[in-house]
Structure formats: structure tokens, C-alpha cells
Amino acid sequence: MRPVLSVTSECAPLVKTGGLADVAGALPAALAPQGWGMRTLLPGYGSVLKALRRPKTVAEFPDHFGGKARVLSGKASGLDILALDAPHLYDRPGTPYLDAGGIDHPDNPQRFAALGYAAAEIAKGALGDWTPEVVHCHDWQAGLAPYYLRNDKIGTVLTIHNIAFQGVAPAYLIDALRLDRSDFTQAGYEYWGQVSTLKAGLRYATRLTTVSPTYAEELTTPEFGMGLDGLLRAREGDLSGILNGIDTVTWDPANDPATVPYKTAKGKARAKKRLRKEFGLPETDGPLAVVVSRLSHQKGLDVLLDALPALIDRGGQLVVLGSGDRALEANLRKAADHPNVAVHIGYDEAMSHRIIAGGDAIIIPSRFEPCGLTQLYGLRYGTIPVVARTGGLVDTVIDASPMALRAGVATGLQFGPVTAHALATALLRLIALHRDPTTWARMQKNAMATEVGWDASAPAYAALYDEVAGA
Ligand code: ADP
Ligand code: GLC
């Protein structure tokens, strides 16, 4: 096996706030058959250290961004983990990024610089008996690793999962973050007078990827590049889009312990009945639409609230599971006053399975979406995705256009732009399709037959590692 180091702040099932964790957690198993043996470097959060089986100290850093640190190696949930055990940085309550009160940890720049620095040390041989040929960095949290490796001949890949998070830190931290002042320029890691760890990664990594081909194109435009589009245009030749897959074992309708398993769409009826019961929804003829999502501006759920009458005035129903933005949580709760709307504010993996299995359709009205995973779960479960025409949603769902319907290939609905009017129109189309049992059954069958695993994308990553390792 050729050695590759994945550097990430999240990795399912050990620590997760979003899809990054699922992808980082799935890559090692996807790449093993391609001949790449991946180890995953994670911050030593409590949940990570607790999960490690028989940890061994494999490197020590006496002065690591304000305290002593060591790298622990061990297996956890079948993954080969390297945990950066640095209690002064990671042993604290809250999420990976926020304190218990929901405010960013004030030393986040140091916490993730420390991760990137440890990755660079490992790439330079700190473990002694294992040195990666390629360092694969995920998002801003790992963005400084390629910078720290800028003078070494080690291939690096930076994957953009979400360009909205840019790892911006004040310039007075330059020394504390172990950055060279001479690179504090527009051509370096400087970003509007501050430091951006994502920009550093985009500037210094050997190759750049993002998680869908359409988002790769979008990123080079001012609308989607969020200030970094110029740099991405300059590096367009080094940027590619490799579509995410999902874990088809965890997400398998035929074998899902969280819900009533089913092999064909027919079996969904029982899962749907159960879901309605769980949420106290009456039996109606209309489609049961569902949402499982972080509640952030990106996800466009405010637009869904505005478009909702189109669905529920015609016998449709909605179940939402999500958490995040407080105002959106409150508005969703208010919408749940309607007898055909149910909302659960919180984060709950098992419930997410029950909801996706029981729904007729899953609504994803994102303003931007690098890839998106829940539409892939929807496809796999015969839960028809209704998606905004953006990013990875474009690349994974075949719109029920007249031609696609005639050709018998439709798997879902796309709409655009992300406005209440366009979404309401899509919801009306959904209701009409749902009323036509033959067409609906065909779409469900197509959806369930869609390839949503890693079979296509794992070789693409392997080919990229190959190129980068030789670079
Ligand atoms: P993003 O990473 O932008 O949040 P993705 O669609 O790529 O979007 O991934 C989101 C992941 O988080 C999916 O695995 C989804 O099921 C999960 N998820 C989001 N919100 C919740 C929730 N409230 N409860 C359980 N799982 C959730
Ligand atoms: C990000 C994106 C999402 C993507 C996920 C995993 O959080 O918002 O679209 O699926 O990363 O790559």
C-alpha cells in the first residue's frame, strides 16, 4: 500500500458537524482497493481519544503552539487514526469550533495551525517508520499544512468542501502561527490585511479539488468564489471536481436498523406510516416531503418556508430535522403549528435515517452546495430529491424534464433560481408527479438504481495522488 495522510478536523463516526466528516470517514475504505493506505490525522478531541483502541505514542512535540503535544496512533471504528493529543488546544467542552455558549473558540487559529504543523512534521518524517507520499488536506482547518511544506518535495492536495469558511485570523498572529512574514502578501497567505488559512492552502497545495465538477466551475466565478475566485481562476488548471460518494452500508434501505427495511420502493409505505406516527401527522394523499439539514443561510430553508403553502395547501406534508441558526429554528417551530408540518430541532443520526426512509421526497433548496450528501441518501432510499440547480446537486440528480421523463431516466426535480416562486413551482410539479403512480414508481426505481457509492470517485482520487506523488 502506498502511504497517504489525510488531514481533517472531522471524521465520522468519531467527530462530525457536517458532510466533511462523512467524506473523511469514507475515503480510507474507498482508497484501499486502489492501493493507497490512508492514515487520518485528527485533533485529539475527547471523542477521538476515547475511541482509540490501544493508542501508542508515535511522536512528541514539546512546544506545540502553547503546550506539550504528542501524536497517538491507534484504530478506531476501522480507521487508522493519528490523533494530535494537545490538551491545551482540544480538551474542552463545546463543538470542534464553538464553546459551550456557541461562540468561536478564541484560539481557533492556533488550534488548527497546530493541526497543519503536525501534518507537515509527519510528512517530513516525524513518525520514523511511516512517511506519506501525499498529504491530503481538507478545508481551512488543514489549509496551513501545504504552506508549512512549501519548501519540501512532498505532494499536497487541498480539497475545498465549503469555501464559505476561510480560516481568517488577525495579522498579529503571524508569528504565533509560525508563518513567515515575507509571505504576508497578496501572492502568499495575506487576505484583505489578515491571514487566511484556506487561501494559504489554495496558494501552496500542489493540486486543488472540490467535491463536484459543477462546484469546481462555480468556484471560479465571483458569485460563488467568495473572494477567492481570482486565485482559483489563476490555478484553474490545478483544480478539479471529484464527486462525493456515500457510505452505502450505513445508508442501505434493505438493511437499516434505524427503520423498517425495504428492498423496493413498495416497502417504503411502512416506513412512511411509521414516520407519520412518530411525528403525529395525519394520513393524507399528498407527498410527504422531508428535510435533514444544518440550519444555515447556505441551505435556503427560509425559502422553503416561504414556498410551503404550495405544498401543504394541497395535502402535502413536511417533516424537518435540523439545528443551527436560532431565528430559522424559531420560524420552523412556528410553521409546525400547521397540522401537516412537523419539526424536530436537534441533531439525531438515527432519526435522520427514519426521516429519509419514510419520506416521499427530500427538499434541498441550497443557495450553494459543494456536493451535498442528503440528496444521495434520498436517491438510495427512493426518496425523490427536489434540489436547487447548483453545485453537486446539479451533478447528482436528473431533473424530471419532459425529455427525461420520456426517456425514462428522471430521478428527481431541479429548480432555479433559489426563490420562493421557483421552489413553489417545483413543489407543484412534485405534487403532479406524485399523483401519477406509473411515473412516480419509475422515478423511484431510477433513483434507487443510481450509483451513489465511491466506485467512480475513488479511482479519480487515486489517479490524482499518483500525479501529485510524482510532482
Ligand atoms: P453540509 O456538510 O453542508 O452540512 P452535506 O449534505 O454534505 O451538507 O452533509 C450533511 C450531513 O450531516 C449529512 O450526513 C446529514 O445527514 C447530516 N445532518 C445534518 N443535519 C443533521 C441533523 N440535524 N441530524 C442528523 N444528521 C444531520
Ligand atoms: C460541505 C458542503 C457539502 C459537502 C460536504 C462534504 O460541508 O457544504 O455540500 O457535501 O462538505 O464534502
Side-chain angles (χ1 to χ4, degrees), residues 46-360:
S47 65
V48 172
L49 297 182
K50 216 164 75 198
L52 278 192
R53 280 197 289 116
R54 286 195 286 277
K56 258 188 17 208
T57 302
V58 290
E60 284 179 302
F61 308 124
D63 173 22
H64 201 65
F65 295 82
K68 260 196 343 206
R70 58 186 179 156
V71 178
L72 294 172
S73 164
K75 288 260 180 198
S77 304
L79 299 159
D80 199 344
I81 300 294
L82 296 168
L84 180 61
D85 181 22
H88 61 292
L89 299 172
Y90 307 127
D91 180 17
R92 53 180 81 172
T95 77
Y97 318 113
L98 309 175
D99 66 18
I103 310 288
D104 274 19
H105 296 298
D107 56 347
N108 273 347
Q110 290 90 330
R111 295 173 73 233
F112 294 103
L115 180 72
Y117 202 88
E121 290 299 302
I122 291 170
K124 289 191 251 185
L127 303 191
D129 60 348
W130 188 87
T131 309
E133 284 185 60
V134 175
V135 181
H136 186 167
C137 306
H138 299 276
D139 272 353
W140 69 272
Q141 298 95 328
L144 287 180
Y147 175 76
Y148 296 132
L149 287 168
R150 66 196 178 285
N151 298 322
D152 299 270
K153 283 201 81 56
I154 294 164
T156 54
V157 174
L158 182 90
T159 296
I160 304 165
H161 294 266
N162 195 332
I163 205 153
F165 304 102
Q166 305 187 337
V168 172
Y172 65 76
L173 288 178
I174 287 175
D175 294 333
L177 300 181
R178 305 185 183 176
L179 306 174
D180 199 323
R181 276 184 181 268
S182 64
D183 298 319
F184 187 61
T185 62
Q186 211 197 339
Y189 58 75
E190 185 268 349
Y191 189 56
W192 300 105
Q194 297 189 290
V195 173
S196 162
T197 64
L198 182 65
K199 183 178 173 188
L202 297 178
R203 160 71 182 77
Y204 293 97
T206 319
R207 289 286 294 268
L208 310 175
T209 72
T210 188
V211 289
S212 70
T214 293
Y215 193 59
E217 272 178 39
E218 289 172 345
L219 277 174
T220 60
T221 68
E223 190 189 347
F224 290 97
M226 298 193 180
L228 291 165
D229 46 290
L231 173 53
L232 288 166
R233 277 194 298 280
R235 297 208 58 190
E236 211 154 10
D238 296 323
L239 170 67
S240 57
I242 302 178
L243 209 54
N244 286 335
I246 60 169
D247 179 339
T248 51
V249 175
T250 309
W251 291 95
D252 180 3
N255 192 7
D256 189 336
T259 178
V260 197
Y262 53 88
K263 282 207 171 64
T264 63
K266 275 202 189 123
K268 275 179 82 70
R270 284 175 56 216
K272 177 172 172 181
K273 211 176 163 87
R274 260 235 216 146
L275 183 62
R276 277 187 167 143
K277 204 161 154 218
E278 177 174 352
F279 282 91
L281 292 172
E283 300 281 326
T284 67
D285 292 336
L288 172 55
V290 300
V291 169
V292 174
S293 184
R294 287 188 295 117
L295 301 179
S296 74
H297 187 69
Q298 172 191 348
K299 301 295 178 178
L301 296 168
D302 50 320
V303 177
L304 174 58
L305 282 175
D306 290 342
L308 203 51
L311 179 71
I312 56 180
D313 291 354
R314 289 165 185 83
Q317 296 177 316
L318 178 70
V319 171
V320 178
L321 167 63
S323 64
D325 183 90
R326 297 284 175 260
L328 197 49
E329 288 180 353
N331 288 340
L332 281 163
R333 281 205 176 96
K334 224 180 290 157
D337 286 343
H338 193 286
N340 280 328
V341 179
V343 171
H344 182 91
I345 300 298
Y347 188 94
D348 188 326
E349 291 274 344
M351 187 184 281
S352 73
H353 282 246
R354 295 197 295 276
I355 290 178
I356 286 165
D360 291 307

